[in-house]
Amino acid sequence: MKLLILGGTAWLGRTVAETAIAQNHDVTCVARGTGAPVGARLIRADRDDEGALDAVAAERWDAVIDVGRQPGHVRWATAALAATAGRYVFVSSANVYASQAEHGADEGAALLAPLTADAYTSPDDYGAAKVACETAVLDAFGEARSAIVRAGLIGGPGDPSGRTTYWPRRFARPSSPSGEVLIPDAPDLPTAIIDVRDLAAWLVQLADGGASGTYNAQGDVRAFADHLAAARAVTGHAGPLVVAAEDWLRERDVAEWSGPRSLPLWLADRTWWGMNDRSTARARAAGLALRPLSETLADALAAGHAEGKAGLSDPDERVLLTELTREQP
């Protein structure tokens, strides 16, 4: 397969390129930066330039995989490549849905209104921007020649956010001599992590004559307590778990989901719990295969990437543990 990847130098795009190269596909990456994997042709271009893809549009491609997020980039790409590319695989997001409250919702759930601008600047518009990108793909390629993959939380080796490395790292290296680890009181919170390698393999499969249509692509749904148990098992942690009430954590400015001074994956707002509990039956029927969570967590820990990007620092956790222990009877 002659494959064009719009991206290919950052985490997911690079993993897609490496996967395709390992399968002996002819891979070309279009990106602003450097760092395309060995075996790929790199064409440096800035997609902010409406004519950035003119050179590759003159070639014929079996398929395109696009990890873009700005509507203008995708509108220009699909218009330029519709006549010369056989298939278009677009990596969208579960953030396109209008509601994240329902559990088990499938691809037919209501979407946000598409962003009309060519670019978004506020994180609040990310989902609407992805809806606009999806619309551009379908307008140019139609459903029969496209696959839209609404990815959930991606994890595994190289995770630049640190969300999937925090818990195994914390259990491997507790901040306190006693081995205590602070966790939020949210045992039933749904979590779902799709390994970047599994997602990349499926994207290449879709590009190489795979199924068409729109798909939710998430990992197996695991209760937060089960996710923590898997992370503990990977590291052999046997210390105490110190459970903090959600209100107590919020009063002390502990953030949710990601970022500094957070407890990653934690979501106190139940209206967001459906985000990690969507139906993936359609994707599985189309060939999506998932490895065990334990393997994803172990490999993410071994890679050691993005430490400190998310979670509590050791000093912050020790302060919180001391305060919580002092308050408990």
Side-chain angles (χ1 to χ4, degrees):
M1 170 177 61
K2 187 177 179 183
L3 176 64
L4 177 65
I5 300 175
L6 302 183
T9 58
W11 184 42
L12 174 58
R14 183 181 176 88
T15 306
V16 170
E18 291 171 340
T19 301
I21 291 166
Q23 297 177 14
N24 296 316
H25 296 300
D26 181 354
V27 176
T28 296
C29 300
V30 176
R32 281 186 296 186
T34 59
V38 174
R41 175 173 59 138
L42 174 62
I43 297 176
R44 297 187 65 181
D46 187 342
R47 293 181 71 181
D48 286 340
D49 176 2
E50 190 169 347
L53 302 182
D54 287 350
V56 294
E59 299 183 41
R60 298 205 66 84
W61 305 94
D62 294 308
V64 178
I65 296 178
D66 188 357
V67 298
R69 59 180 61 191
Q70 295 291 11
H73 292 177
V74 179
R75 290 179 184 127
W76 301 332
T78 53
L81 295 165
T84 56
R87 291 173 58 76
Y88 204 100
V89 178
F90 179 68
V91 182
S92 189
S93 166
N95 290 81
V96 297
Y97 291 108
S99 171
Q100 303 290 351
E102 292 76 24
H103 294 247
D106 64 15
E107 292 83 355
L111 304 181
L112 296 167
L115 190 72
T116 56
D118 282 335
Y120 76 95
T121 55
S122 168
D124 292 340
D125 290 331
Y126 173 69
K130 282 288 195 179
V131 175
C133 293
E134 291 187 8
T135 301
V137 173
L138 290 172
D139 285 348
F141 280 81
E143 185 169 343
R145 294 173 58 208
S146 66
I148 292 173
V149 176
R150 293 172 179 161
L153 178 60
I154 306 170
D159 178 1
S161 75
R163 283 175 294 197
T164 55
T165 55
Y166 175 76
W167 290 110
R169 179 171 57 82
R170 174 55 70 209
F171 288 127
R173 300 196 296 273
S175 68
S176 68
S178 65
E180 292 178 322
V181 171
L182 182 71
I183 66 170
D185 186 14
D188 299 326
L189 164 69
T191 68
I193 294 175
I194 184 166
D195 193 292
V196 64
R197 297 164 293 184
D198 296 337
L199 178 57
W202 190 51
L203 292 171
V204 173
Q205 178 183 329
L206 290 173
D208 191 20
S212 300
T214 300
Y215 305 93
N216 292 329
Q218 297 185 322
D220 291 321
V221 180
R222 304 281 291 271
F224 188 58
D226 293 337
H227 182 98
L228 295 182
R232 293 184 81 196
V234 162
T235 61
H237 178 264
L241 298 181
V242 179
V243 181
E246 294 179 307
D247 288 344
W248 187 92
L249 291 168
R250 296 172 96 174
E251 288 167 2
R252 285 151 184 81
D253 297 322
V254 177
E256 303 168 43
W257 188 240
S258 65
R261 196 175 164 74
S262 70
L263 288 176
L265 309 186
W266 168 45
L267 287 169
D269 186 350
R270 269 58 176 171
T271 64
W272 279 90
W273 279 25
M275 178 177 65
N276 293 318
D277 192 11
R278 294 191 173 277
S279 170
T280 58
R282 185 181 295 181
R284 292 171 188 270
L288 175 63
L290 303 173
R291 71 192 66 210
L293 175 63
S294 58
E295 182 178 337
T296 297
L297 296 178
D299 291 349
L301 177 62
H305 190 75
E307 292 192 6
K309 283 287 190 74
L312 297 172
S313 67
D314 286 359
D316 279 346
E317 190 191 35
R318 284 194 294 267
V319 168
L320 291 167
L321 284 168
T322 299
E323 183 177 352
L324 186 59
T325 302
R326 188 166 52 240
E327 291 180 5
Q328 291 176 340

